[in-house]
Amino acid sequence: MPLIHVLNGPNLNLLGMRQPEIYGRETLADLEALCREAARPHDIRFLQSNWEGQIVDWIHEARQEAAAIVINPAALTHTSVAVLDALNAFDGPVIEVHISQVHKREAFRHHSYVSHRADGVIAGLGLGGYVAAIRHVAGLI
Ligand code: DQA
């Protein structure tokens, strides 16, 4: 069964604790459980790192292991050409997810390097955005 990589960038380890008025009260573990349920019968590799290079390495690993990537690059969305370049080396579907509606927030959150590669972008649906993204790619792979 094809594997879906679900990648999470900096500070998402603090989900449920950091700015709950923006990101909600559910934790990263809650999110992982939600994603596993949404993906069935597909398997997922669910990962989070605060380090840009680690995210880049995981995208490289996805080239061999994954049929699709669902990624919330978090702050790296707005800064990282390295994450964009890594995603450009991945052939399968890529969906970019943001928990918050980034376009309603500060201007620096309105630009996404990752959107230059993403096949779809979901913002503002809370954790439900991951569910929608996973169901979408599960239907493609
Ligand atoms: C985020 C939005 C980003 O602007 C922010 O840096 C994050 C999380 C979101 O899920 O809404 O860390 O990607």
Side-chain angles (χ1 to χ4, degrees):
M1 196 64 80
L3 191 64
I4 300 167
H5 277 208
V6 182
L7 305 180
N8 295 282
N11 301 304
L12 290 170
N13 55 311
L14 295 181
L15 209 53
M17 293 167 268
R18 128 175 121 130
Q19 296 182 282
E21 69 285 2
I22 296 175
Y23 299 113
R25 298 210 172 267
E26 286 174 294
T27 66
L28 191 68
D30 296 331
L31 175 60
E32 178 170 0
L34 194 69
C35 289
R36 289 199 180 281
E37 182 63 29
R40 282 202 294 168
H42 295 282
D43 203 1
I44 64 169
R45 191 170 174 212
F46 186 93
L47 299 164
Q48 187 277 330
S49 179
N50 295 327
W51 296 85
E52 181 176 24
Q54 178 64 83
I55 302 284
V56 169
D57 283 348
W58 284 334
I59 296 168
H60 293 176
E61 288 173 23
R63 284 162 47 79
Q64 312 301 327
E65 294 174 3
I69 296 176
V70 171
I71 183 166
N72 183 348
L76 297 174
T77 308
H78 318 298
T79 62
S80 182
V81 176
V83 170
L84 170 63
D85 284 351
L87 288 168
N88 277 332
F90 177 78
D91 286 335
V94 174
I95 307 295
E96 174 183 347
V97 175
H98 300 286
I99 296 166
S100 64
Q101 212 301 47
V102 282
H103 298 286
K104 269 174 84 173
R105 300 181 62 194
E106 303 96 321
F108 66 83
R109 297 186 202 276
H110 298 178
H111 176 261
S112 165
Y113 285 102
V114 170
S115 292
H116 290 267
R117 166 62 180 88
D119 300 298
V121 182
I122 299 172
L125 302 190
L127 303 192
Y130 287 76
V131 172
I134 288 170
R135 288 197 182 136
H136 177 74
V137 296
L140 297 177
I141 61 181

